[in-house]
Amino acid sequence: MKTILVAGGAGFIGSHLCDELIVQGNKVICMDNLSTGHKNNIKHLLKNKNFKFINHDVIKPFFIKEKIDQIYHLASRASPVDYQKFPVETALSNSIGTNNLVKLALKKNATLLFTSTSEAYGEPKEHPQKESYWGNVNPVGIRSCYDESKRFGEALLMAYHREKKADVKIVRIFNTYGPRLRPGDGRVISNFIRQALTNQPITIYGAGKQTRSFCYISDMVSGLIMMMNSNFVQPKNLGNPDEFTILELAQKVKQLTNSSSPLIFEKLPQDDPTKRQPDISSARKMLGWKPEVELDEGLRQTIEWFKLLPSIRNHNGN
Ligand code: UDP
Protein backbone atom coordinates (compact mmCIF):
# COMPACT_ATOMS: atom_id res chain seq x y z
CA MET A 1 0.00 0.00 0.00
CA LYS A 2 1.42 3.35 -1.07
CA THR A 3 0.65 6.74 0.48
CA ILE A 4 -0.10 9.19 -2.29
CA LEU A 5 -0.60 12.94 -2.06
CA VAL A 6 -2.89 14.40 -4.71
CA ALA A 7 -2.60 18.19 -4.78
CA GLY A 8 -5.74 19.48 -6.45
CA GLY A 9 -7.48 16.25 -5.50
CA ALA A 10 -10.96 17.78 -5.18
CA GLY A 11 -10.92 19.08 -8.74
CA PHE A 12 -12.22 17.48 -11.90
CA ILE A 13 -9.24 15.29 -12.84
CA GLY A 14 -7.86 15.10 -9.30
CA SER A 15 -11.02 13.64 -7.78
CA HIS A 16 -11.25 10.91 -10.42
CA LEU A 17 -7.59 10.15 -9.80
CA CYS A 18 -8.24 9.88 -6.02
CA ASP A 19 -11.10 7.44 -6.76
CA GLU A 20 -8.88 5.19 -8.85
CA LEU A 21 -5.93 5.30 -6.44
CA ILE A 22 -8.25 4.27 -3.58
CA VAL A 23 -9.72 1.43 -5.67
CA GLN A 24 -6.18 0.23 -6.34
CA GLY A 25 -5.62 -0.07 -2.57
CA ASN A 26 -3.59 3.03 -1.76
CA LYS A 27 -3.81 5.59 1.01
CA VAL A 28 -4.66 8.98 -0.47
CA ILE A 29 -4.08 12.41 1.01
CA CYS A 30 -6.04 14.95 -0.97
CA MET A 31 -4.91 18.57 -0.68
CA ASP A 32 -7.09 21.24 -2.23
CA ASN A 33 -7.99 24.86 -1.47
CA LEU A 34 -11.42 24.35 -3.06
CA SER A 35 -10.93 27.32 -5.40
CA THR A 36 -12.27 25.36 -8.37
CA GLY A 37 -12.36 21.95 -6.73
CA HIS A 38 -15.47 21.04 -4.74
CA LYS A 39 -16.22 18.89 -1.69
CA ASN A 40 -19.02 17.23 -3.71
CA ASN A 41 -16.37 15.62 -5.91
CA ILE A 42 -14.86 13.76 -2.96
CA LYS A 43 -17.75 13.48 -0.50
CA HIS A 44 -18.10 9.73 -1.16
CA LEU A 45 -14.46 9.30 -0.09
CA LEU A 46 -14.53 11.34 3.11
CA LYS A 47 -15.53 8.40 5.32
CA ASN A 48 -12.99 6.02 3.78
CA LYS A 49 -10.21 5.28 6.31
CA ASN A 50 -7.63 5.38 3.52
CA PHE A 51 -8.61 8.88 2.46
CA LYS A 52 -7.75 12.15 4.12
CA PHE A 53 -8.68 15.66 2.99
CA ILE A 54 -6.56 18.72 3.78
CA ASN A 55 -7.95 22.14 2.89
CA HIS A 56 -4.77 23.96 1.90
CA ASP A 57 -3.31 26.03 -0.92
CA VAL A 58 -0.06 24.62 -2.40
CA ILE A 59 1.27 28.16 -2.74
CA LYS A 60 1.49 28.42 1.06
CA PRO A 61 4.05 26.45 3.07
CA PHE A 62 2.90 23.18 4.59
CA PHE A 63 4.16 20.18 6.47
CA ILE A 64 2.90 16.62 6.19
CA LYS A 65 3.85 14.17 8.89
CA GLU A 66 2.93 10.93 7.09
CA LYS A 67 5.40 9.08 4.88
CA ILE A 68 4.64 9.78 1.23
CA ASP A 69 5.57 7.64 -1.75
CA GLN A 70 4.08 9.57 -4.62
CA ILE A 71 2.80 13.10 -5.25
CA TYR A 72 0.57 14.24 -8.11
CA HIS A 73 0.46 18.00 -8.71
CA LEU A 74 -2.88 18.95 -10.27
CA ALA A 75 -3.42 22.06 -8.16
CA SER A 76 -4.02 24.74 -10.77
CA ARG A 77 -6.95 26.43 -12.38
CA ALA A 78 -7.21 25.10 -15.94
CA SER A 79 -10.11 26.87 -17.62
CA PRO A 80 -8.99 29.91 -19.65
CA VAL A 81 -11.91 31.99 -18.32
CA ASP A 82 -11.00 31.01 -14.78
CA TYR A 83 -7.26 31.46 -14.90
CA GLN A 84 -7.57 34.80 -16.66
CA LYS A 85 -9.69 35.97 -13.71
CA PHE A 86 -6.99 34.79 -11.26
CA PRO A 87 -3.72 35.14 -13.19
CA VAL A 88 -1.44 35.67 -10.18
CA GLU A 89 -2.79 32.71 -8.25
CA THR A 90 -2.51 30.56 -11.39
CA ALA A 91 1.08 31.59 -12.08
CA LEU A 92 2.03 30.92 -8.46
CA SER A 93 0.38 27.51 -8.15
CA ASN A 94 2.50 26.24 -11.03
CA SER A 95 5.71 27.91 -9.85
CA ILE A 96 5.78 28.31 -6.04
CA GLY A 97 3.29 25.44 -5.67
CA THR A 98 5.55 23.20 -7.76
CA ASN A 99 8.57 24.30 -5.75
CA ASN A 100 6.80 23.43 -2.47
CA LEU A 101 5.81 20.03 -3.78
CA VAL A 102 9.21 19.09 -5.21
CA LYS A 103 10.85 20.05 -1.91
CA LEU A 104 8.38 17.79 -0.14
CA ALA A 105 9.16 15.01 -2.64
CA LEU A 106 12.88 15.33 -1.91
CA LYS A 107 12.30 15.29 1.86
CA LYS A 108 10.04 12.23 1.68
CA ASN A 109 11.99 10.45 -1.03
CA ALA A 110 8.84 10.46 -3.12
CA THR A 111 8.14 10.70 -6.86
CA LEU A 112 6.46 13.89 -8.06
CA LEU A 113 4.31 13.94 -11.19
CA PHE A 114 3.60 17.43 -12.53
CA THR A 115 0.63 17.98 -14.81
CA SER A 116 1.74 20.38 -17.49
CA THR A 117 -0.41 21.22 -20.47
CA SER A 118 -0.85 21.15 -24.21
CA GLU A 119 -0.83 24.94 -23.86
CA ALA A 120 2.92 24.64 -23.48
CA TYR A 121 2.82 24.41 -27.31
CA GLY A 122 0.91 27.72 -27.62
CA GLU A 123 -0.17 28.52 -31.18
CA PRO A 124 1.57 25.47 -32.63
CA LYS A 125 3.60 25.61 -35.80
CA GLU A 126 3.86 21.81 -35.81
CA HIS A 127 0.82 19.64 -36.15
CA PRO A 128 0.17 17.26 -34.44
CA GLN A 129 2.32 18.28 -31.49
CA LYS A 130 5.17 15.99 -30.47
CA GLU A 131 6.93 16.34 -27.12
CA SER A 132 10.07 17.45 -28.96
CA TYR A 133 8.29 20.60 -30.22
CA TRP A 134 9.31 23.65 -28.13
CA GLY A 135 6.12 25.57 -28.73
CA ASN A 136 5.09 29.03 -29.81
CA VAL A 137 3.83 30.84 -26.73
CA ASN A 138 3.07 34.53 -26.17
CA PRO A 139 5.04 35.09 -22.95
CA VAL A 140 3.09 38.21 -21.95
CA GLY A 141 -0.35 37.41 -23.38
CA ILE A 142 -3.50 36.79 -21.35
CA ARG A 143 -2.91 33.03 -21.37
CA SER A 144 0.72 33.33 -20.25
CA CYS A 145 -0.11 33.12 -16.52
CA TYR A 146 -1.08 29.54 -17.31
CA ASP A 147 1.07 28.35 -20.19
CA GLU A 148 4.30 30.06 -19.13
CA SER A 149 3.89 28.96 -15.52
CA LYS A 150 3.37 25.39 -16.66
CA ARG A 151 6.50 25.71 -18.81
CA PHE A 152 8.35 27.12 -15.82
CA GLY A 153 7.07 24.24 -13.68
CA GLU A 154 8.55 21.80 -16.22
CA ALA A 155 11.86 23.71 -16.25
CA LEU A 156 11.98 23.85 -12.45
CA LEU A 157 11.47 20.11 -12.14
CA MET A 158 14.17 19.37 -14.69
CA ALA A 159 16.50 21.63 -12.69
CA TYR A 160 15.73 19.75 -9.45
CA HIS A 161 16.14 16.48 -11.30
CA ARG A 162 19.54 17.43 -12.73
CA GLU A 163 20.93 19.12 -9.64
CA LYS A 164 19.35 17.18 -6.77
CA LYS A 165 18.28 13.93 -8.45
CA ALA A 166 14.64 14.62 -7.66
CA ASP A 167 12.44 11.80 -8.98
CA VAL A 168 10.07 13.69 -11.28
CA LYS A 169 7.64 12.99 -14.12
CA ILE A 170 6.03 15.51 -16.44
CA VAL A 171 2.87 14.99 -18.46
CA ARG A 172 1.29 17.44 -20.90
CA ILE A 173 -2.45 17.07 -20.62
CA PHE A 174 -4.63 17.86 -23.65
CA ASN A 175 -8.31 18.89 -23.33
CA THR A 176 -10.01 16.45 -20.99
CA TYR A 177 -13.71 16.10 -20.18
CA GLY A 178 -16.18 13.95 -18.29
CA PRO A 179 -18.46 13.95 -15.26
CA ARG A 180 -17.54 16.55 -12.59
CA LEU A 181 -16.52 19.22 -15.10
CA ARG A 182 -17.84 22.37 -13.48
CA PRO A 183 -20.85 23.49 -15.54
CA GLY A 184 -19.90 27.14 -15.11
CA ASP A 185 -16.16 26.84 -15.67
CA GLY A 186 -16.30 28.39 -19.13
CA ARG A 187 -14.60 25.59 -21.02
CA VAL A 188 -16.07 24.46 -24.28
CA ILE A 189 -17.52 21.07 -23.31
CA SER A 190 -19.13 22.32 -20.10
CA ASN A 191 -20.51 25.41 -21.86
CA PHE A 192 -21.93 23.48 -24.81
CA ILE A 193 -23.57 20.76 -22.69
CA ARG A 194 -25.01 23.25 -20.21
CA GLN A 195 -26.31 25.46 -23.02
CA ALA A 196 -27.76 22.54 -24.98
CA LEU A 197 -29.51 21.01 -21.96
CA THR A 198 -31.05 24.34 -20.96
CA ASN A 199 -31.97 25.24 -24.56
CA GLN A 200 -29.84 28.35 -24.51
CA PRO A 201 -27.79 29.39 -27.56
CA ILE A 202 -24.61 27.35 -28.05
CA THR A 203 -21.80 29.91 -28.15
CA ILE A 204 -19.19 29.17 -30.82
CA TYR A 205 -16.21 31.51 -30.60
CA GLY A 206 -14.93 32.67 -33.99
CA ALA A 207 -16.10 30.63 -36.96
CA GLY A 208 -15.66 27.39 -35.00
CA LYS A 209 -12.93 26.22 -37.37
CA GLN A 210 -10.36 25.94 -34.59
CA THR A 211 -9.71 22.35 -33.51
CA ARG A 212 -9.27 20.53 -30.22
CA SER A 213 -8.78 16.84 -29.37
CA PHE A 214 -10.80 15.67 -26.37
CA CYS A 215 -9.77 12.93 -23.97
CA TYR A 216 -12.26 11.19 -21.68
CA ILE A 217 -11.46 11.31 -17.98
CA SER A 218 -11.00 7.56 -17.39
CA ASP A 219 -8.36 7.43 -20.14
CA MET A 220 -6.56 10.43 -18.65
CA VAL A 221 -6.51 8.88 -15.17
CA SER A 222 -5.05 5.60 -16.44
CA GLY A 223 -2.37 7.53 -18.36
CA LEU A 224 -1.40 9.54 -15.28
CA ILE A 225 -1.03 6.42 -13.16
CA MET A 226 0.96 4.60 -15.85
CA MET A 227 3.30 7.56 -16.20
CA MET A 228 3.75 7.83 -12.43
CA ASN A 229 4.74 4.17 -12.24
CA SER A 230 7.10 4.34 -15.24
CA ASN A 231 10.78 5.21 -15.45
CA PHE A 232 10.33 8.22 -17.72
CA VAL A 233 11.27 11.74 -16.74
CA GLN A 234 10.93 13.67 -20.00
CA PRO A 235 7.45 15.11 -20.75
CA LYS A 236 4.80 12.82 -22.22
CA ASN A 237 1.70 13.98 -24.06
CA LEU A 238 -1.52 12.50 -22.73
CA GLY A 239 -4.62 13.13 -24.78
CA ASN A 240 -6.91 11.64 -27.38
CA PRO A 241 -5.61 12.31 -30.91
CA ASP A 242 -9.10 12.36 -32.49
CA GLU A 243 -9.35 15.98 -33.64
CA PHE A 244 -12.60 17.93 -34.10
CA THR A 245 -13.47 21.47 -35.06
CA ILE A 246 -15.40 23.39 -32.42
CA LEU A 247 -18.30 23.63 -34.89
CA GLU A 248 -18.35 19.82 -35.20
CA LEU A 249 -18.34 19.56 -31.42
CA ALA A 250 -21.29 21.95 -31.13
CA GLN A 251 -23.28 19.93 -33.67
CA LYS A 252 -22.45 16.68 -31.88
CA VAL A 253 -23.54 18.02 -28.47
CA LYS A 254 -26.73 19.44 -29.96
CA GLN A 255 -27.59 16.11 -31.57
CA LEU A 256 -26.73 13.97 -28.51
CA THR A 257 -28.87 16.17 -26.24
CA ASN A 258 -31.76 16.49 -28.73
CA SER A 259 -31.54 20.20 -28.08
CA SER A 260 -33.34 23.01 -29.82
CA SER A 261 -30.54 25.46 -28.99
CA PRO A 262 -29.44 27.66 -31.90
CA LEU A 263 -25.72 27.84 -32.69
CA ILE A 264 -24.47 31.40 -32.37
CA PHE A 265 -21.07 32.86 -33.25
CA GLU A 266 -19.20 35.15 -30.85
CA LYS A 267 -15.84 36.89 -30.86
CA LEU A 268 -12.79 34.63 -30.76
CA PRO A 269 -10.82 35.17 -27.52
CA GLN A 270 -7.32 36.65 -27.80
CA ASP A 271 -4.49 34.14 -28.40
CA ASP A 272 -6.94 31.25 -28.83
CA PRO A 273 -4.89 28.44 -30.45
CA THR A 274 -6.15 27.54 -33.94
CA LYS A 275 -5.37 23.85 -33.62
CA ARG A 276 -4.36 21.25 -31.13
CA GLN A 277 -3.78 17.53 -31.52
CA PRO A 278 -1.42 15.39 -29.48
CA ASP A 279 1.09 13.05 -31.03
CA ILE A 280 0.89 10.22 -28.49
CA SER A 281 3.25 7.78 -30.16
CA SER A 282 5.69 8.10 -27.26
CA ALA A 283 3.07 7.30 -24.58
CA ARG A 284 1.78 4.44 -26.74
CA LYS A 285 5.23 2.92 -27.21
CA MET A 286 6.87 3.62 -23.86
CA LEU A 287 3.88 3.29 -21.52
CA GLY A 288 1.65 1.01 -23.58
CA TRP A 289 -1.11 3.59 -23.05
CA LYS A 290 -3.83 4.61 -25.48
CA PRO A 291 -7.23 6.24 -25.07
CA GLU A 292 -10.19 3.85 -25.31
CA VAL A 293 -13.28 6.08 -25.08
CA GLU A 294 -14.49 7.76 -28.26
CA LEU A 295 -15.96 11.26 -28.18
CA ASP A 296 -19.60 10.23 -28.72
CA GLU A 297 -19.50 7.73 -25.88
CA GLY A 298 -17.67 10.08 -23.53
CA LEU A 299 -20.08 12.91 -24.32
CA ARG A 300 -23.06 10.63 -23.61
CA GLN A 301 -21.66 9.81 -20.16
CA THR A 302 -20.90 13.45 -19.45
CA ILE A 303 -24.34 14.62 -20.61
CA GLU A 304 -26.03 12.06 -18.30
CA TRP A 305 -24.04 13.44 -15.36
CA PHE A 306 -24.87 17.07 -16.24
CA LYS A 307 -28.58 16.17 -16.44
CA LEU A 308 -28.56 15.28 -12.74
CA LEU A 309 -27.22 18.64 -11.60
CA PRO A 310 -29.81 20.78 -9.80
CA SER A 311 -28.77 23.87 -11.78
CA ILE A 312 -29.47 22.06 -15.05
CA ARG A 313 -32.66 20.41 -13.77
CA ASN A 314 -33.94 23.82 -12.68
CA HIS A 315 -32.86 25.22 -16.04
CA ASN A 316 -31.00 28.19 -14.71
CA GLY A 317 -27.69 26.70 -15.80
CA ASN A 318 -25.50 28.27 -13.10
N1 UDP B 1 -14.99 27.82 -27.10
C1 UDP B 1 -16.16 28.13 -27.78
N2 UDP B 1 -17.27 28.37 -27.06
C2 UDP B 1 -17.31 28.34 -25.71
C3 UDP B 1 -16.13 28.03 -25.00
C4 UDP B 1 -14.98 27.79 -25.73
O1 UDP B 1 -16.19 28.16 -29.03
O2 UDP B 1 -18.38 28.58 -25.13
C5 UDP B 1 -13.77 27.53 -27.87
C6 UDP B 1 -12.53 28.31 -27.44
O3 UDP B 1 -12.47 29.55 -28.11
C7 UDP B 1 -11.43 27.36 -27.87
C8 UDP B 1 -12.04 25.97 -27.68
O4 UDP B 1 -13.45 26.18 -27.65
O5 UDP B 1 -11.11 27.53 -29.22
C9 UDP B 1 -11.60 25.27 -26.42
O6 UDP B 1 -11.75 26.18 -25.36
P1 UDP B 1 -11.56 25.79 -23.85
O7 UDP B 1 -11.84 27.02 -23.06
O8 UDP B 1 -12.36 24.58 -23.52
O9 UDP B 1 -10.05 25.36 -23.67
P2 UDP B 1 -8.64 25.64 -24.43
O10 UDP B 1 -8.44 24.46 -25.28
O11 UDP B 1 -8.74 26.90 -25.25
O12 UDP B 1 -7.67 25.76 -23.33
Side-chain angles (χ1 to χ4, degrees), residues 80 119 143 175 186-188 191-192 203-205 210 212 246 268-269 272 276:
E119 298 216 16
R143 296 173 85 108
N175 299 60
R187 277 184 283 189
V188 69
N191 272 6
F192 284 5
T203 52
I204 296 168
Y205 300 159
Q210 69 272 39
R212 294 293 186 270
I246 294 304
L268 191 66
D272 197 282
R276 196 181 280 159

Side-chain angles (χ1 to χ4, degrees), residues 17-37:
L17 178 63
C18 289
D19 283 346
E20 184 57 26
L21 294 173
I22 290 281
V23 167
Q24 294 188 1
N26 301 290
K27 259 193 150 114
V28 171
I29 303 172
C30 163
M31 183 188 280
D32 202 299
N33 67 353
L34 303 180
S35 57
T36 57

